[in-house]
Structure formats: structure tokens, C-alpha cells
RNA sequence: CGGGCUGUGGCGCAGCUUGGUUAGCGCGUCGGUCUGGGGGACCGAAGGUCGGAGGUUCAAAUCCUCUCAGCCCGACCA
């Protein structure tokens, strides 16, 4: 293609609202434009990248036996009512009503629809199956952000495996794991698998593929010693042993006027690790007590995963007061019998602890957790902290901010059950199919690549997903010899199957160099009178910045070789 | 949903505190001349219901009320 006839609206300044590097550069480079919060138009350059990402995903999905579908984005409410998610998805699901008054939803994922199709499988002989699509998802995100990283309308590759038994599901899951590893490598993403919470999706196991980036939204605990990696939503770490302070036969109360926080109580001689943090939550409408060690943060997702609760929020001060008789700052669980109590495992065996007395400005000390508190459930509730020891090897854990590029789930039989996806096995016995589901956000993968491949001058696309692989920059468009040489190279590269862009715009070379770098085309061939005098074209590699001169008659071959090399490596 | 912030030509901003000519500036765009190896210079031009509605006033981008939109930080997800 010729740059002079393309729509590539590059900007010198990034829009003020764009902060993430990928957001700024994708807008500046003329790849995307925002229509409204969470909805982006893909411009021609952006769509080329998007389609290259999708093509790689397709190849790898097909390689593990995936069959491509294309399902409706609009679903009847009845489908989601069957699985129970019409309720549980809450405000996250876009809902609408048609002219007949029928309720509809815009699909946020497609377990229900695929499971409905899977109900047509009647024999174990038809299994296993791997089905996928690349299709628009709609999610009414509370807070879209960072350009393409978090949006309300996006293309997702979602695939679903259908197997007769757990061993089959394990194999399908492993195949996806391997395919995802290949996909991200080819996209130029340094993604690593981490143990993850399954969240609202349910199911027994899930793994996220993470790309370290400050623009991400997830924190991952990572061990450099043994390779342990887990989303902090479910990461655990070894506890530093704490020696209990001397206890007493019964808790003793003492006055603590004006002391309302863990920190204040610590200053008053009760170190945080010897305090019990008492939190009150509304859990599906039930007032519930959560207990942690004073210096440990609550990780709500762990609680949600343990209880299966769909709706939790900190309790209102009024409700707390009427239930316990005190305000936050003086709360405790000693003597509480009428509320469910969940205690973090770090409190097991602890005594000589300090906690609120449920009387304003009074605390208790000498508390023995197991003796004095009616704990209903011992649960891992705490968020781990940077530097705590790895549970398997003892090395300190680091916490890394990441972009979630992919997520794979073992779903089990929940959806197949709801949709009636059953088969007869070899013994003629009816079995419910077991499912897995596997997702990659195409636009997010693209943004993650932009996020991790750029410099001050712009993007540095990996060859595999670059909108064009080579740009030929003509320094002087009114110089006959330059034009002829550029046209010649352009024709040769096209003939070699290279995605080549000819920057034939009249104008100053500085603008063209800057645009080529902003847009991030991996290889640049500069054609100008200065080089041609010596029978040379100048070559620049955007990825490493290295420049060299190439003889006119060897340039296109050299570049073709580099393109082919880059396509293989994903660099 | 809680907290912070912003809406003025395509992009970046000033003007608002203390209402008062025709709403400015840089970039970009169009025409022209000179240029031509890292966002060039000069001349000329187009382009704005100042987010929207209501109000105060002789007079509103500016003051008041309501509202909408967008961004960032936290609770949710590919």
C-alpha cells in the first residue's frame, strides 16, 4: 500500500485523557479512536494488527483440533436463566427488551450458547470436541480504562472443550495451556501462567496468562526460587512465626479512649501482629464477622471463593452498632454467638491477643482466639505481602503488576447440566459432559504488546503482528532516481509476500521518519539521493534501532530474510 | 458504587478568580512561494452553538442551579 492513499491519522500530541503507554501510542499512531468510554473504533492500521493477532490465535486453536464457530451476540434471557447467571451476572450484563417485550442480553461469554449446541452431542463417540469463536463480547464494566486494556465491547477468542470424563478435561486443559503458551510467544508477549481464582465462572481449576506491566490491573505473587506464581487473589505465603504474648485466664478489658485504628493501638503498646482485626461485612444480606491478624489485609476474593457469596460489601455503621453495640474501632468477636464468624488461618493457635470489646473506647487483651471466640470457619483470608516467604521453597515472594492476557478454566459439569448436554457412554449409561472454557481478549493482547514494545518515539511491533512489516521511506519524492529505486524495491518486496508500505507522501523526510517510528513498523528502507550515489539504500530496524547500508541489488533479499525470521520468532 | 479531576475548532492548551469589543495561542488542515536526509520558513485561508439545559444580569466561556460526558485512584474481569 501507498501511504499517500491511506487513512493513518497520526497525532503529535496524545489526547490528554490517555495515560497508559499503549493507549497514548495507539491513538497517536492512528490505530484506534474512542467512540465513548469503553468503546473504540478500529482504524485501518489497528484492524490490521487486530486481524494478525486473531490469525495467530486461529492457527494455534486449529492446531489443537479447535473448530471455529460464530455465535449470536444477542441472547434470549431464558438461556441465562437456565444457568442461573441471569441473576448472578448482575449489572455486568447489558440487557434490553425487544418490541414484543421479550428480554434479551448481549453476550458477555458463551458457555450457555455453546452448551446448548453441545446438547446435540448424544454419543461419547462424538467426544472430545473443542469449539471456538472470535466474536464480540459485551460487558458493562464499572470502569473501562487504559484504552484497549479494559473496554465494554471487545473481540474475544473463546473456546470450550467437551469431554466425557475428568481425564479428558485435563487433557483438553493441558492442550489449551500449551496452545496459549505458543500464541503468546508468537505475539511477542512474555506471558507466564499463574494460579488463579475462578471467580464467577465457577469450576475447579483455572490458570491465568499474565504479562508483567505497570499498566496491568492484577497483582501476581511470584517466586524467583521455585517459579511459584499465583494471582494474589489466591496466593499464599509462609507466615513468619510469632511468639504469643503471655495470656491470662480470661480476657481483660481496658480503656482506650480515642483509639480507633490498628496503628493507634499499636502505638499504645499492642503491636499489630498481636491484634485481631475484626471486619463486618454484609454477605448476601447476612451480617458476618471476618477476623484477621492486625497487620494482615483482607483479600475479599478469597472469601468470595470460599463461601460462593455473590454479593459482599462492608457493613453499614448503623447495622454494626445495632448488632454489636459499638462502632468500628472498638469491635471484636469475643462473646459473639449470633453472627457467623470467619477467621483467617494466621489466627490459629494465637493467644495474648488484643481486640475490641464491643464497647466504644474499650478493648480486650489476653484473648485466646480458639478459647474465647466461637469461630465457625477457619479460612485463608489474608492478602499476602511483598517479601513474605514462598510456601514451597522459602524464598521471598515478589508482587508483580500484570495484564491478564488469557484465562483458562476447568468448568466441570455445571453448564452442561443446566443445558442438558448428556451422552451415552460405552456402557450405555447417561453421562453429563464436562467442560472447559478458555479466553483471550484480542484487543487486550494487542494493547499488551503495545504496552511492552515501545520507546519514546513510538511503537515497536513484533514482526508477527506489525500492521506492515516494512516501510519504504522516500526522502525526496521529486527525485526521479529515488522514485524508481523505491518503486522497484516496493514491487520486489510485494512479490516476495512481504507486507510493505511505500511512504510516497511528498513532504519533509523528518515527518516521515517520525511517523514510521510512531506507527512502529519493524523494518524501514530509506531511499534517497545520498545513498543512491553510492548504490546503497539505508536500512533501519525499529526493534533494536540498528542501522546499516545495503547494496541496492541485495536490499530486498536481505529484508525478506529478516521478515521471514521475525515471523517465525515472534520478535 | 465511594474518592479526586476535566469538558473551549481535528489534537494540545490559555482566557474563568475580579462578567464587558470580533473568544485567543501552538500543532494539524487547505492555497501559494521558497525549500528538501529527523516534525522547515514566510504569505494567505478555512474551521469553535466555549459539553447541555435553565437561571441571574443591560451584558455570561466567565457567576448560580441542575444535568450529561470523559479521565484517574479503589471494589469487579479477557
Amino acid at each position: 500500500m501507498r501511504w499517500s492513499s491511506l487513512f493513518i491519522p497520526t497525532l503529535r500530541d496524545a489526547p490528554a485523557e490517555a495515560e497508559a503507554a499503549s493507549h497514548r501510542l495507539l491513538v497517536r499512531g492512528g490505530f484506534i479512536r474512542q467512540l465513548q468510554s469503553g468503546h473504540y473504533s478500529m482504524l485501518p492500521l489497528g484492524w490490521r494488527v487486530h486481524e494478525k493477532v486473531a490469525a495467530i490465535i486461529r492457527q494455534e486453536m486449529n492446531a489443537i483440533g479447535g473448530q471455529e464457530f460464530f455465535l449470536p451476540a444477542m441472547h434470549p434471557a431464558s438461556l441465562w436463566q437456565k444457568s442461573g447467571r441471569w441473576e448472578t451476572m448482575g449489572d455486568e450484563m447489558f440487557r434490553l427488551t425487544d418490541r414484543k417485550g421479550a428480554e434479551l442480553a448481549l453476550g458477555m461469554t458463551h458457555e450457555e450458547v455453546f452448551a446448548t449446541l453441545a446438547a446435540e452431542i448424544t454419543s461419547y463417540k462424538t467426544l472430545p470436541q473443542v469449539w471456538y469463536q472470535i466474536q464480540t463480547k459485551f460487558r458493562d464494566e464499572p470502569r473501562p480504562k487504559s484504552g484497549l486494556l479494559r473496554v465494554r465491547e471487545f473481540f474475544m477468542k473463546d473456546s470450550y472443550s467437551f469431554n466425557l470424563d475428568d481425564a479428558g478435561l485435563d487433557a483438553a486443559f493441558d492442550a489449551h495451556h500449551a496452545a496459549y503458551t505458543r500464541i503468546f510467544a508468537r505475539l511477542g508477549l512474555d506471558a507466564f501462567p499463574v494460579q488463579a481464582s475462578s471467580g464467577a465462572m465457577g469450576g475447579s481449576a483455572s490458570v491465568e496468562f499474565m504479562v508483567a506491566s505497570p499498566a496491568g490491573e492484577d497483582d501476581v505473587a511470584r517466586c524467583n526460587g521455585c517459579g511459584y506464581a499465583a494471582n494474589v487473589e489466591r496466593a499464599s505465603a509462609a507466615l513468619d512465626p510469632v511468639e504469643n504474648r503471655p495470656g491470662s485466664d480470661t480476657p481483660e478489658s481496658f480503656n482506650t479512649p480515642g483509639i480507633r485504628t490498628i496503628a493507634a493501638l499499636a502505638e499504645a503498646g499492642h503491636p499489630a501482629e498481636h491484634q485481631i482485626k475484626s471486619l463486618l461485612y454484609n454477605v448476601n444480606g447476612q451480617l458476618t464477622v471476618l477476623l484477621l491478624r492486625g497487620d494482615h489485609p483482607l483479600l475479599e476474593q478469597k472469601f468470595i471463593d470460599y463461601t460462593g457469596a455473590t454479593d459482599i460489601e462492608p457493613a453499614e455503621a448503623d447495622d454494626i452498632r445495632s448488632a454489636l453495640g459499638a462502632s468500628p474501632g472498638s469491635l471484636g468477636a469475643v462473646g459473639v454467638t449470633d453472627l457467623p464468624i470467619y477467621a483467617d488461618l494466621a489466627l490459629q493457635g494465637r493467644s495474648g491477643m488484643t481486640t475490641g470489646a464491643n464497647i466504644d473506647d474499650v478493648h480486650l487483651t489476653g484473648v485466646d482466639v480458639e478459647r474465647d471466640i466461637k469461630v465457625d470457619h477457619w479460612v485463608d483470608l489474608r492478602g499476602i505481602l511483598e517479601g513474605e516467604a514462598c510456601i514451597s521453597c522459602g524464598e521471598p515472594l515478589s508482587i508483580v503488576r500484570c495484564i491478564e492476557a488469557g484465562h483458562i478454566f476447568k468448568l466441570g459439569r455445571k453448564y452442561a447440566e443446566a443445558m442438558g448436554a448428556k451422552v451415552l457412554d460405552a456402557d450405555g449409561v447417561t453421562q453429563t459432559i464436562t467442560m472447559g472454557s478458555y479466553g483471550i481478549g484480542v484487543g487486550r493482547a494487542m494493547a499488551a504488546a503495545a504496552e511492552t514494545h515501545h520507546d519514546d518515539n513510538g511503537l515497536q511491533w513484533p514482526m508477527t503482528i506489525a500492521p506492515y512489516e516494512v516501510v519504504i521511506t522516500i526522502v525526496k519524492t521529486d527525485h526521479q532516481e529515488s522514485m524508481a529505486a523505491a518503486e522497484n524495491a516496493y514491487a520486489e518486496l510485494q512479490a516476495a509476500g512481504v507486507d510493505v508500505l511505500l511512504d510516497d507522501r511528498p513532504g519533509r523526510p523528518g515527518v516521515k521518519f517520525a511517523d514510521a517510528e510512531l506507527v512502529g513498523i519493524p523494518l524501514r528502507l530509506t531511499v534517497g539521493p545520498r545513498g543512491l550515489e553510492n548504490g546503497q539504500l539505508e536500512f533501519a530496524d525499529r526493534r533494536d534501532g540498528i542501522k546499516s547500508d545495503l547494496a541496492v541489488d541485495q536490499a530486498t533479499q536481505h529484508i525478506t530474510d529478516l521478515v521471514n525470521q521475525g515471523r517465525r520468532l515472534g520478535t
Side-chain angles (χ1 to χ4, degrees), chain A residues 222-228 390 393 395-398:
Chain A
R222 223 182 163 178
C223 175
N224 295 322
C226 66
Y228 170 80
C390 174
C393 76
E395 291 293 308
L397 294 171
S398 49

Side-chain angles (χ1 to χ4, degrees), chain A residues 33-54:
Chain A
R33 287 293 185 267
Q34 186 184 61
L35 181 62
Q36 58 173 331
S37 180
H39 299 264
Y40 282 84
S41 302
M42 285 278 174
L43 275 37
L45 227 44
W47 190 242
R48 286 183 71 92
V49 175
H50 193 277
E51 286 302 277
K52 286 194 175 188
V53 172

Side-chain angles (χ1 to χ4, degrees), chain A residues 115 118-119 162 412-422 432-435:
Chain A
F162 302 90
R413 298 186 165 77
K414 173 180 168 183
Y415 298 96
E417 188 102 45
M419 302 300 148
K422 297 187 285 266
T432 299
I433 291 173
T434 184
M435 290 175 60

Side-chain angles (χ1 to χ4, degrees), chain A residues 39-254:
Chain A
H39 299 264
Y40 282 84
S41 302
M42 285 278 174
L43 275 37
L45 227 44
W47 190 242
R48 286 183 71 92
V49 175
H50 193 277
E51 286 302 277
K52 286 194 175 188
V53 172
I56 288 172
I57 294 173
R58 260 190 198 100
Q59 285 173 14
E60 296 296 342
M61 289 309 301
N62 293 342
I64 60 168
Q67 303 163 70
E68 186 165 4
F69 284 57
F70 192 79
L71 308 184
M74 199 179 289
H75 307 165
S78 58
L79 186 71
W80 289 80
Q81 285 158 350
K82 257 192 193 175
S83 68
R85 293 160 110 190
W86 181 256
E87 295 298 325
T88 56
M89 284 305 188
D91 292 336
E92 192 103 350
M93 185 146 70
F94 282 105
R95 299 158 202 258
L96 61 158
T97 308
D98 72 10
R99 64 205 303 161
K100 293 181 294 187
E103 290 188 290
L104 305 168
L106 296 180
M108 10 193 331
T109 173
H110 281 71
E111 278 79 11
E112 281 83 353
V113 184
F114 268 114
T116 299
L117 293 167
E120 285 195 41
I121 302 173
T122 50
S123 163
Y124 76 98
K125 293 177 187 170
T126 315
L127 298 176
Q129 293 282 324
V130 175
W131 296 351
Y132 77 97
Q133 62 171 344
I134 297 177
Q135 188 250 16
T136 307
K137 301 289 184 261
F138 295 90
R139 294 184 186 177
D140 193 355
E141 292 288 343
R143 186 152 96 82
K145 58 172 289 202
S146 304
L148 255 29
L149 278 174
R150 181 174 204 72
V151 292
R152 303 202 303 173
E153 175 182 352
F154 60 100
F155 268 71
M156 178 164 93
K157 185 289 297 175
D158 49 323
S159 50
Y160 305 83
S161 60
F162 302 90
N163 290 90
L164 183 63
D165 54 26
D166 291 349
L169 173 56
D170 290 346
F173 186 86
D174 292 345
H176 273 86
H177 195 293
Y180 274 37
T181 301
R182 287 191 294 272
I183 288 167
F184 293 123
R186 290 181 63 187
L187 297 181
L189 290 176
D190 190 8
F192 58 96
V194 313
Q195 298 173 24
S197 156
S198 297
M201 203 66 92
S204 59
S206 87
V207 168
E208 290 167 327
F209 286 81
M210 294 295 199
V211 176
S213 162
E217 303 180 79
D218 284 271
D219 286 317
V220 169
R222 223 182 163 178
C223 175
N224 295 322
C226 66
Y228 170 80
N231 193 306
V232 292
E233 287 174 355
R234 60 161 294 167
S236 37
L239 270 180
D240 279 337
V242 177
E243 186 140 341
N244 282 325
R245 301 204 297 183
S248 50
D249 292 344
T250 58
E252 298 162 8
S253 64
F254 62 107

